[in-house]
Amino acid sequence: MTERMMRHFPSVLGWALVAGLAFGAMAPVQAQSAGGFSPVITVNGLAITGYEIAQRARFMELLGAKGDVRKLAENALIDDRLQNWKAHSLGISPSRDAVTKGMAEFASRANLSTEDFLKALAEAGVEPQTYRDFVAAGMIWREVVKATYGGGRIKVSDAEIDRALAIAPPQGTEPEPPKVLLSEIVVRNFPGRDVETMAKARKAAAAKTEADFAALAKELSSSPTASKGGRLEWMPVTALPPEVRQTVMSMTPGHASAPIQTPNSVSVFFMRGLDEGGPLTPQTQAVGYATLLLGASGSPEAAAWHAKADAEAQRCDDLYTVASKLPADRLERVDGARAAQIPADIARILPRMDIGEMQVVPRGGNDVLVMLCDRGRAVNAAVGETGPSREATRDKLLNARVGALADRLLAQLRAEAVIVRK
């Protein structure tokens, strides 16, 4: 639970803390109302107090947890104890400096320093130790997983990457949500100053360029991102609050939003980039392919070069070795081509080919070998579109595999644990 929360921590939390929580200090969680400092659960002899549960529940609420937050907090703390127990058996313990750096890195996802993040948490009733324990638990678990499954024991093959980059996503999977690259201006709305606040927000919404918006962010914004021109990192649109999400999804890159009423503030966003995600289509697909001029159609030369390529080339890169003694202009490599950019004779066969497959097409009295190198999403940098790379796809598959193994290990630890509720 801890690691999953850290992976999906929304970078927009900094906006939420500034725009909402930081405008009204909240009373600290009282130990007496939460069961005090006496153990209420033990996990393999390790205690969890009622106060810890209340603190974790409040912290999880700030991270956007819904439903029975106290129950979620109990389960998260049980997982923490199991992870600590396993770490102790392996001799794993993070240093104080490592935890301090981890706290700073986590806070930076909300565009805050550790000090500012702790201050915002304190105003919401969360103690610094709760935050430190949360970060330390995630770091401990990563080290446990690394010790258990690391050392190159988990691999992702090139064939698996090829399949992940294929046109059709696996059946039963959901497309990734769109990702947005935003800048923000958050204008605080103090009591009795509604007109002034809205005037500033309209000024921000009138920005025509990213540079104009960045200058206005430094002038008008109350967000911690103001010093950076309001710039946020790439984030899934699902990480945005509902009142912001609908407006953002109607925007196009290079434009500012209309003012959006948010708790105790009015916000304006500028879209710097958009990755719509979803399955690839003929319009969004980009293919890489290579062509090798074999020789005159039906000639022994063409047949010999075809046989050599068939025997020695598994991937497009191998064709450079195959054709090393041929004139350089007989081998051509094309990357990231859209359908409209591909010659008609090649465009007819590529959709039916697998990555690494070869076919021969006749052209002008010659035989030309065509090999499909890769498929991916076409990239249009002019409007901020991004697409998957082989390295990013490898990392994604590896992380998913490690995550599944980590979940299995935690489930095993829970099944074998002695958990007592008092």
Side-chain angles (χ1 to χ4, degrees):
M1 183 66 179
T2 302
E3 180 67 14
R4 190 175 296 112
M5 287 169 65
M6 293 186 75
R7 288 200 302 267
H8 297 290
F9 177 75
S11 59
V12 80
L13 180 59
W15 167 84
L17 288 169
V18 171
L21 296 175
F23 286 95
M26 301 185 66
V29 177
Q30 296 299 318
Q32 289 82 1
S33 65
F37 295 104
S38 300
V40 295
I41 303 174
T42 60
V43 181
N44 290 345
L46 302 176
I48 300 173
T49 68
Y51 183 65
E52 287 180 283
I53 295 171
Q55 279 279 298
R56 179 60 68 89
R58 180 63 187 139
F59 184 55
M60 292 175 69
E61 285 178 336
L62 300 181
L63 296 187
K66 305 295 183 183
D68 189 345
V69 181
R70 182 178 174 85
K71 185 67 174 178
L72 292 173
E74 288 183 5
N75 288 331
L77 287 167
I78 289 171
D79 288 346
D80 287 0
R81 295 300 190 270
L82 291 170
Q83 293 162 1
N84 285 332
W85 181 84
K86 181 65 174 179
H88 181 74
S89 71
L90 297 174
I92 293 172
S93 177
S95 68
R96 178 177 292 274
D97 287 345
V99 175
T100 299
K101 290 179 181 179
M103 293 171 67
E105 190 277 332
F106 190 83
S108 71
R109 303 183 201 182
N111 297 297
L112 295 171
S113 67
T114 302
E115 293 73 19
D116 289 338
F117 191 76
L118 288 173
K119 181 181 178 181
L121 290 178
E123 291 178 351
V126 177
E127 298 291 336
Q129 190 60 44
T130 298
Y131 176 48
R132 176 177 287 276
D133 291 345
F134 170 77
V135 173
M139 297 180 68
I140 287 171
W141 187 235
R142 281 196 295 271
E143 292 303 313
V144 168
V145 172
K146 185 188 299 183
T148 306
Y149 301 113
R153 279 171 279 185
I154 304 174
K155 300 182 182 297
V156 175
S157 68
D158 288 336
E160 290 174 299
I161 297 173
D162 292 339
R163 286 195 293 272
L165 289 172
I167 294 177
Q171 293 296 315
T173 61
E174 294 292 331
E176 290 188 2
K179 295 181 180 179
V180 289
L181 188 63
L182 301 173
S183 295
E184 63 177 359
I185 292 177
V186 180
V187 184
R188 291 190 182 185
N189 188 16
F190 294 100
R193 296 170 63 176
D194 293 358
V195 174
E196 178 184 348
T197 299
M198 187 55 68
K200 292 180 179 179
R202 290 197 180 102
K203 182 178 180 181
K208 300 299 184 184
T209 67
E210 181 185 343
D212 292 341
F213 193 88
L216 288 171
K218 294 177 181 179
E219 174 190 346
L220 304 173
S221 184
S222 301
S223 169
T225 61
S227 61
K228 300 189 295 183
R231 293 170 67 90
L232 296 166
E233 302 298 327
W234 281 102
M235 70 177 74
V237 71
T238 50
L240 295 167
E243 63 269 26
V244 175
R245 188 182 312 154
Q246 185 174 358
T247 297
V248 167
M249 286 312 296
S250 67
M251 298 170 62
T252 56
H255 294 85
S257 73
I260 305 171
Q261 293 281 353
T262 50
N264 300 311
S265 66
V266 179
S267 297
V268 179
F269 294 89
F270 188 95
M271 181 176 283
R272 301 177 353 246
L274 171 66
D275 178 3
E276 296 185 288
L280 298 175
T281 67
Q283 290 72 38
T284 63
Q285 178 194 353
V287 297
Y289 66 95
T291 61
L292 177 63
L293 177 60
L294 300 174
S297 296
S299 68
E301 178 195 20
W305 284 113
H306 186 191
K308 182 175 176 65
D310 191 48
E312 300 180 11
Q314 303 298 317
R315 305 186 60 81
C316 287
D317 289 346
D318 299 334
L319 290 176
Y320 291 101
T321 302
V322 171
S324 61
K325 296 182 180 180
L326 290 173
D329 60 0
R330 291 181 63 168
L331 176 61
E332 182 180 8
R333 178 78 176 261
V334 179
D335 293 314
R338 295 176 184 265
Q341 301 169 318
I342 303 172
D345 55 346
I346 297 177
R348 281 194 294 270
I349 64 172
L350 287 180
R352 302 188 298 272
M353 295 174 66
D354 294 325
I355 294 172
E357 183 180 351
M358 294 178 287
Q359 289 194 34
V360 175
V361 297
R363 179 182 290 177
N366 292 308
D367 283 345
V368 176
L369 181 144
V370 179
M371 176 180 273
L372 178 62
C373 303
D374 57 68
R375 301 186 193 273
R377 184 179 303 283
V379 176
N380 185 348
V383 295
E385 293 178 349
T386 62
S389 66
R390 292 190 67 82
E391 194 61 34
T393 301
R394 182 188 301 276
D395 289 344
K396 182 177 179 180
L397 292 172
L398 184 61
N399 288 338
R401 189 163 299 170
V402 171
L405 290 170
D407 288 344
R408 186 185 307 170
L409 175 60
L410 186 57
Q412 179 183 346
L413 292 174
R414 184 180 273 267
E416 296 172 352
V418 177
I419 301 173
V420 179
R421 297 176 183 271
K422 298 183 178 181

